[in-house]
Amino acid sequence: MRPPVPIAEYLDRLTSELRFDPRISRRVRREIEDHLLDAVADSTGTNPEDAARQAVARFGDPRLIARQYAPASLLQQTRRVGGIMILAIAAILVLMKGRVALYDLLQWRLNSDWLGGLGAIAPMIDRYMFQMSLVLGILGWLYIASRRAAPTISDDYQHQLRRSLLLSAAVSGLLIGAVALDTILGAMRTIGAGMSLAAAIPLLSIAVEIGLVGVIAVELRKVLQRKALVSSLFADKA
């Protein structure tokens, strides 16, 4: 059954203010709805609509309630991206090592002449890009893991989150470059060796790497969008 109009409107506004975190939004809405309905039920001798308005007034501004959840939520989301990034890097490392072992087993050599002057150093560039993404990924994860949720979104707190997100963006860019170059080098090996059923294994592993990088990019974009929502939530704070 739909709650009284004042409560329904209040809950809709609260949900809107908490849209930076859908999971928290759903949970908090349920909890506050239960409290408000209980308050209305306990108001004997009062019109339900009036009781609902009084209960809503006592509960306070939805924006102020949302602000209480924003700092911890944003930190948790940023940590989640860092964790996903570390897992993705580890998975890509395993895939790369396995692919190199397969190339050696099948004796699929890279024809460096196809890349001209870059042929000799392309694998080295690929390796260094990945190693740099690994180092930055670990540093970023350690940094955000050491942060603590602040009671409000202060300038210093925003700077901390921004540093973490910049590290994540740098890792994402390096991984995209490394996987793109790895894709080119893998395709060159496969073409040079001639297409066969064995080629499906490295091609599939490269496809998985591309998918993992895509997951990182999507998660990073979601956090940036939610950070913008939180910033707007505190924009008019006195």
Side-chain angles (χ1 to χ4, degrees), residues 92-110:
I92 291 174
L93 177 61
V94 171
L95 291 170
M96 284 184 170
K97 293 292 186 181
R99 197 160 54 248
V100 169
L102 179 62
Y103 291 151
D104 291 340
L105 178 65
L106 298 176
Q107 297 184 345
W108 287 5
R109 305 303 177 199
L110 180 64

Side-chain angles (χ1 to χ4, degrees), residues 135-164:
V135 171
L136 290 180
I138 293 174
L139 289 176
W141 184 82
L142 290 174
Y143 177 79
I144 196 61
S146 67
R147 302 302 95 185
R148 294 294 176 265
T152 186
I153 302 292
S154 62
D155 290 341
D156 181 61
Y157 194 63
Q158 292 209 58
H159 290 326
Q160 293 177 21
L161 295 175
R162 190 176 299 115
R163 290 187 200 106
S164 177

Side-chain angles (χ1 to χ4, degrees), residues 15-225:
T15 300
S16 176
E17 299 290 3
L18 287 167
R19 64 188 181 279
F20 58 84
D21 193 325
R23 182 182 59 83
I24 288 181
S25 177
R26 290 190 295 269
R27 176 173 63 82
V28 173
R29 180 185 177 112
R30 286 196 302 268
E31 292 175 356
I32 292 182
E33 181 176 7
D34 290 340
H35 285 300
L36 292 173
L37 291 178
D38 287 343
V40 171
D42 292 339
S43 299
T44 57
T46 306
N47 181 280
E49 292 288 323
D50 293 336
R53 291 190 187 91
Q54 294 171 10
V56 165
R58 287 194 299 268
F59 229 92
D61 187 347
R63 172 158 289 205
L64 297 180
I65 294 175
R67 284 175 178 171
Q68 298 174 20
Y69 292 93
S73 172
L74 198 54
L75 179 62
Q76 184 180 32
Q77 292 168 15
T78 307
R79 283 177 176 172
R80 182 172 180 270
V81 170
I84 289 174
M85 197 163 291
I86 291 295
L87 292 175
I89 291 173
I92 291 174
L93 177 61
V94 171
L95 291 170
M96 284 184 170
K97 293 292 186 181
R99 197 160 54 248
V100 169
L102 179 62
Y103 291 151
D104 291 340
L105 178 65
L106 298 176
Q107 297 184 345
W108 287 5
R109 305 303 177 199
L110 180 64
N111 187 346
S112 58
D113 293 338
W114 288 3
L115 289 177
L118 291 176
I121 63 172
M124 186 182 302
I125 294 174
D126 184 29
R127 184 168 61 254
Y128 284 158
M129 289 177 70
F130 180 78
Q131 290 174 348
M132 184 61 69
S133 71
L134 177 60
V135 171
L136 290 180
I138 293 174
L139 289 176
W141 184 82
L142 290 174
Y143 177 79
I144 196 61
S146 67
R147 302 302 95 185
R148 294 294 176 265
T152 186
I153 302 292
S154 62
D155 290 341
D156 181 61
Y157 194 63
Q158 292 209 58
H159 290 326
Q160 293 177 21
L161 295 175
R162 190 176 299 115
R163 290 187 200 106
S164 177
L165 292 174
L166 284 174
L167 281 172
S168 297
V171 171
S172 181
L174 287 168
L175 276 179
I176 290 173
V179 170
L181 186 53
D182 206 37
T183 301
I184 295 172
L185 296 176
M188 290 173 59
R189 289 179 188 270
T190 302
I191 294 172
M195 295 300 294
S196 64
L197 287 177
I201 299 176
L203 292 177
L204 179 60
S205 68
I206 289 173
V208 173
E209 288 181 14
I210 294 173
L212 289 171
V213 172
V215 169
I216 292 174
V218 169
E219 291 297 323
L220 185 58
R221 181 172 177 269
K222 284 165 61 175
V223 171
L224 291 173
Q225 289 176 333

